[in-house]
Amino acid sequence: MDKIEKVARALAKVDGYDADEIIQGEWEVEDNDPEQHFKGKPRWTMYERDARRLSAAFAVLVSE
C-alpha cells in the first residue's frame, strides 16, 4: 500500500465510509459462469485526488 492509498483510506474513514466497499462498477457475466459478478473499485479510490493534493501539501511543509 503506497502513501496515497493510505491517505485516501484515512479520508474515507474520516467521512464514515468503509474504504474497501466496492463502488462504481458494473455487472459482468463470464462465458462459462451463468452468474453475474460485480466488478468495481473500492471506495478509497474516490479519495485519490484529495489524497494526492494533501500529500503534496504536506511534502512542502516537511521540506521547509
Side-chain angles (χ1 to χ4, degrees), residues 7-51:
V7 173
R9 286 176 170 279
L11 291 172
K13 185 176 181 179
V14 165
D15 283 349
Y17 293 111
D18 175 2
D20 292 316
E21 176 187 9
I22 302 299
I23 60 169
Q24 285 194 333
E26 55 189 41
W27 290 95
E28 294 182 354
V29 178
E30 295 179 13
D31 292 336
N32 298 330
D33 188 355
E35 293 188 25
Q36 293 184 358
H37 300 279
F38 189 73
K39 305 285 184 176
K41 294 182 178 182
R43 181 173 293 280
W44 68 263
T45 61
M46 297 298 298
Y47 290 87
E48 278 185 290
R49 182 172 185 259
D50 290 338

